[in-house]
Amino acid sequence: MERTFVTNNYLMNKINEIGKYILNDEEAPEDVFISFIKELGVSNLLAPGIVDDEAINFEVLTSDDESVNALPVFSDDDAFIDYYGEDSDLEAISNDIRVYIELMGESEIDGLVINPGNLEFYLEKEVLENLPLNPVIEIKDDFEGYGPDQLQNIAQNATNESLISFMNEGDNHFEALMLELQKATLLDAVVSEEDLSQHAENGIISLDETGTLPLCTTGDDDVQLGVLFTSPDKIRNAIEEDSELNYYYQIALLDDFIEFVLKSDMDGIIINPSEEDYVIGRDELLEAYGGLTYNNPSFKKAIDYAFIL
């Protein structure tokens, strides 16, 4: 099979924690279950299926007594291979949990089983349909938002002095942090092995021409963090002098960035590495996700452009 490199380590930790209570015929504490729901809401799980030109046909498992039809999903490539083998004709198809819940609502599938043949954590359709998952917020298609020149001007002049003062004061009050983030215009750095200046017009690169560029992350074998910056100068100061990569920057859509970090199974976000080094942990991001709205609708086109540093 073609590997997806999907992981759900945090989700599996919560499932294993709940499993210990189940084995002891005990009910999991409310805070443990809520933590599980939050992780489930940002999970990308692998379902076995066959893709043809018209649709995706998912594999469905039936219980021995034929009373239950369950959609099998897997936490990672290894769990999928353990059940189906390397040479299966079935593809591992990654989807948000909401896709599977919607699929069950349109079919006779009775529930979802995570990692069959191993953990076999089963969730009934009725439970899944009533999970308090965060809503998906969509911007109306007819809203234009800022154009590339306006976005570049805003990005070039971003300073976020209020947020920097907050970070330097060492205030870890969650609500205050969330309000600061809601006010901020943060930047993310994107990288390319190719010099993209040839695609730039007045310092603006349209990603329609270059394709999507990978976001900067940092970390080691134990910790992985998404990276955000408060100004272009903070990005310049963080770039290693001997780096052979080419760096550019964008206005960060914070809702989308938080979702990217959580769904990539990362541990949190760091703002201004090598200077403020302000870390927002995963638990805080889960608390923030789906609460306040951090994306400015006027920035809806920000993902389409990068700027020369």
Side-chain angles (χ1 to χ4, degrees):
M1 62 163 274
E2 183 176 346
R3 285 189 172 265
T4 65
F5 300 102
V6 165
T7 62
N8 286 281
N9 294 327
Y10 280 94
L11 175 66
M12 295 312 300
N13 286 341
K14 298 302 178 185
I15 288 176
N16 288 330
E17 189 173 356
I18 291 174
K20 293 176 183 178
Y21 289 97
I22 293 173
L23 286 174
N24 292 325
D25 290 327
E26 298 174 1
E27 186 173 324
E30 183 179 2
D31 62 324
V32 173
F33 186 74
I34 290 173
S35 295
F36 160 69
I37 295 303
K38 289 179 178 178
E39 288 294 346
L40 187 65
V42 294
S43 64
N44 279 317
L45 295 164
L46 304 177
I50 296 176
V51 181
D52 59 31
D53 293 335
E54 299 297 328
I56 301 174
N57 297 309
F58 287 106
E59 170 92 337
V60 176
L61 302 180
T62 302
S63 61
D64 291 339
D65 62 3
E66 299 185 353
S67 63
V68 175
N69 293 317
L71 177 70
V73 293
F74 299 85
S75 57
D76 52 52
D77 293 324
D78 289 339
F80 186 96
I81 291 169
D82 284 346
Y83 193 77
Y84 287 107
E86 285 273 11
D87 301 323
S88 174
D89 292 333
L90 294 167
E91 295 183 41
I93 301 167
S94 174
N95 281 305
D96 184 287
I97 185 65
R98 293 166 182 78
V99 173
Y100 301 130
I101 294 173
E102 184 178 342
L103 175 65
M104 283 187 284
E106 299 169 350
S107 68
E108 296 182 0
I109 297 173
D110 301 300
L112 179 151
V113 58
I114 301 175
N115 290 354
N118 185 0
L119 180 71
E120 295 199 0
F121 191 86
Y122 179 70
L123 292 168
E124 295 180 352
K125 178 193 292 188
E126 290 74 15
V127 172
L128 289 164
E129 289 177 336
N130 289 291
L131 290 180
L133 299 176
N134 294 322
V136 177
I137 300 172
E138 297 182 357
I139 299 173
K140 293 181 179 179
D141 289 337
D142 57 357
F143 180 72
E144 285 295 322
Y146 293 142
D149 293 327
Q150 291 168 297
L151 292 169
Q152 182 191 41
N153 183 58
I154 293 168
Q156 285 176 335
N157 293 292
T159 60
N160 292 290
E161 292 177 0
S162 176
L163 176 59
I164 289 176
S165 295
F166 175 87
M167 294 189 294
N168 287 332
E169 288 168 2
D171 187 348
N172 292 316
H173 193 266
F174 176 77
E175 286 77 10
L177 170 62
M178 294 303 106
L179 290 174
E180 285 293 337
L181 290 177
Q182 193 177 38
K183 293 187 295 182
T185 299
L186 290 165
L187 309 175
D188 51 47
V190 290
V191 297
S192 173
E193 294 182 356
E194 177 189 354
D195 181 356
L196 301 178
S197 58
Q198 60 182 316
H199 299 288
E201 183 174 343
N202 297 323
I204 302 171
I205 302 168
S206 171
L207 300 191
D208 285 340
E209 296 183 20
T210 64
T212 303
L213 301 175
L215 294 168
C216 282
T217 61
T218 188
D220 52 32
D221 290 342
D222 297 320
V223 177
Q224 285 292 316
L225 302 170
V227 182
L228 291 171
F229 298 91
T230 54
S231 69
D233 281 343
K234 295 289 186 179
I235 300 176
R236 296 184 186 100
N237 295 342
I239 298 173
E240 297 178 0
E241 290 184 6
D242 58 351
S243 176
E244 297 181 358
L245 294 172
N246 298 281
Y247 287 81
Y248 309 94
Y249 68 105
Q250 297 176 294
I251 292 176
L253 299 174
L254 193 53
D255 280 343
D256 295 353
F257 193 85
I258 290 173
E259 184 175 274
F260 159 74
V261 168
L262 292 174
K263 290 192 173 184
S264 298
D265 220 24
M266 300 175 75
D267 302 289
I269 289 172
I270 185 169
I271 301 176
N272 293 348
S274 79
E275 294 194 35
E276 280 71 28
D277 280 325
Y278 192 87
V279 175
I280 305 173
R282 185 179 179 92
D283 287 344
E284 292 174 300
L285 296 180
L286 281 168
E287 189 71 23
Y289 182 66
L292 295 174
T293 299
Y294 302 96
N295 282 356
N296 182 338
S298 296
F299 292 160
K300 65 178 290 186
K301 295 181 180 178
I303 196 171
D304 299 327
Y305 301 98
F307 311 113
I308 300 289
L309 270 172

